[in-house]
Structure formats: structure tokens, C-alpha cells
Amino acid sequence: QVQLVESGGGLVQAGGSLRLSCAASGRTASTYTMAWFRQAPGNKREFVAGISWSGGTYYADSVKGRFTISRDNAKNTVYLQMMSLKPEDTAVYYCAARAGIITTTLQYTYWGQGTQVTVPS
């Protein structure tokens, strides 16, 4: 069993930066593939970025070059550094975990409760 707790969301002006954190509990958490998804009102939940247990990464085209996912396995924590934020980045951001390779689908076993990121237009 893995529990995920996100933090770091908030209100930030367009062009600004924000760093999200996802703390994972469970003795095997460091071996899981981790990912960030987001869901804006009225939209489907969408993949943002993923990172394998060994550090391999994959990004959605919409955030490539602006967002960076990283992990600290000693702390069982995954981060999402977001830069050059845009109003269209406004969403609830969710952390997710699964055994196996990164996938952009919703096929993750564990999910956090989400943290709100708001970028006013």
C-alpha cells in the first residue's frame, strides 16, 4: 500500500514559478514509477510528467521545456518544478504511482488527493 500526499499548490501570476511536492509512504514507494496529472474544471484528467524509479522522465508536449519532474528516493518524494506558468496551467494537480513503466494513461494504482494551482489570466 502506498499513500501519496501532495503539497505546494497555490496562486501564482502568469510567468511565475511553483514547485509541487508529493510525499509517498510505504516501504516500496521508491521503486514505483511516479507521475503528475492535472484536471481543469470541465476537462478530463491529463498526464503532465512521469519519472521511473531510475530517473527516466517523460513529459506532455504542453509542458515540455517549462516543467521538470524529479525524485528523491531517500525521501520518497517526487517534485514538479513549474516555470513560465500560463493561465491554461490552472488545474488540480495529482500525484500518482504504479509499478512498471511510465504511461500517459490513467492506469496508476495509487493517487493523491490533489493540490490546486491557479494562474490568473
Side-chain angles (χ1 to χ4, degrees), residues 9-101:
L11 177 70
V12 60
Q13 297 303 311
S17 300
L18 207 58
R19 189 177 82 157
L20 306 182
S21 299
C22 172
S25 64
R27 60 185 175 88
T28 60
S30 63
T31 66
Y32 279 73
T33 286
M34 305 293 293
W36 288 94
F37 286 76
R38 67 186 181 186
Q39 188 168 17
N43 289 359
K44 295 181 180 179
R45 193 169 297 189
E46 64 176 6
F47 174 84
V48 175
I51 186 166
S52 68
W53 70 270
S54 60
T57 59
Y58 187 79
Y59 297 91
D61 288 342
S62 59
V63 306
K64 202 172 294 184
R66 298 189 300 121
F67 291 10
T68 302
I69 188 170
S70 62
R71 68 189 299 163
D72 185 335
N73 286 338
K75 296 182 179 180
N76 277 352
T77 301
V78 176
Y79 305 96
L80 185 68
Q81 179 68 50
M82 305 184 293
M83 303 180 66
S84 303
L85 283 160
K86 306 175 181 180
E88 51 264 42
D89 294 318
T90 295
V92 177
Y93 283 71
Y94 297 90
C95 180
R98 72 189 300 265
I101 63 173

